[in-house]
Amino acid sequence: MTKHLTGIMNRIMERIISGEYSDKLPPQDALALALGIGRSTLREAISKLEGFNIVLCQPRSGTKIMPPSEWHRFNPEVIAWHARLKDPAAPALSTKSFDCSVVAAWKDFPSPRSRQP
């Protein structure tokens, strides 16, 4: 994944974490304009986030933001994003800075099996 694409994903995640985007992402045209990027680049970033189960693209319904308990637990970026959900002041982490603070966040990451039906 390129640094540019990772940066776009981080910007989208910052808006999800801050609560600016709560249930759904804005329409792709508006989001691409807000981020100052092209729609094809945005679609690639959203596709990666969908691969981490952070969002779910639904034709004609928009891009739904999944609950954090549904996010992929074993990806270092997802773990870092989850840590920032718990503490928005936490620094953004890269895979190079995967350290004890990230492991501690991982320990507290909700397990999909612990959900109530």
Side-chain angles (χ1 to χ4, degrees), residues 1 9 17 29 53 59-60 63 65-66 74 81 83 85 90-91 100 105-107 109:
M1 193 166 8
M9 291 169 53
I17 291 166
D29 289 340
N53 209 35
R60 302 189 191 278
T63 304
I65 298 171
M66 302 298 289
F74 300 110
W81 288 324
L85 265 177
C100 293
W106 183 358
K107 178 180 79 63
F109 202 90

Side-chain angles (χ1 to χ4, degrees), residues 15-64:
R15 292 173 183 207
I16 291 172
I17 291 166
S18 73
E20 184 176 341
Y21 305 148
S22 55
D23 296 331
K24 289 185 176 184
L25 294 181
Q28 287 187 2
D29 289 340
L31 185 55
L33 184 63
L35 296 173
I37 59 173
R39 284 186 54 211
S40 61
T41 304
L42 177 63
R43 281 194 296 270
E44 187 177 355
I46 289 175
S47 175
K48 296 286 185 190
L49 292 174
E50 188 172 30
F52 296 148
N53 209 35
I54 293 170
V55 297
L56 176 64
C57 296
Q58 299 173 317
R60 302 189 191 278
S61 296
T63 304
K64 177 183 173 186

